[in-house]
Amino acid sequence: MGPTVKLDLTRILQATGELQHFLDLGAARLRAEGPLPQEASEELIFSMADELEEHLRTMRDRQGSASINDLRVWTRAWIDERQEALAQKPP
């Protein structure tokens, strides 16, 4: 994953077994936001994907490389942090 390589987030989520957790987080975020137009819902999910991708790049840059296990740990930590923040957000 050199700096010129675009991360394939879907493939990473599938390979790490975190795809369903990411989708569950997205669904929870959409429920927390309340009814949104289709475009706003898509924007929210894409912004989550962008945030996760940036997180993975940052972690990889710090470490210098990334195994699939590293990606799994970093992805899970990111998802867990977002779920915790969402749970603490007042309704």
Side-chain angles (χ1 to χ4, degrees), residues 16-67:
T16 60
E18 296 297 330
L19 180 59
Q20 189 60 52
H21 296 121
F22 180 82
L23 294 174
D24 292 344
L25 175 62
R29 293 247 342 244
L30 288 171
R31 281 191 304 275
E33 293 294 323
L36 293 174
Q38 174 85 22
E39 188 174 304
S41 296
E42 291 172 0
E43 205 172 288
L44 184 127
I45 298 301
F46 285 124
S47 72
M48 284 178 47
D50 289 344
E51 287 176 31
L52 176 54
E53 185 173 337
E54 182 59 32
H55 172 73
L56 294 176
R57 282 189 190 283
T58 299
M59 297 302 290
R60 187 247 0 245
D61 290 347
R62 284 185 196 160
Q63 187 166 304
S65 65
S67 68

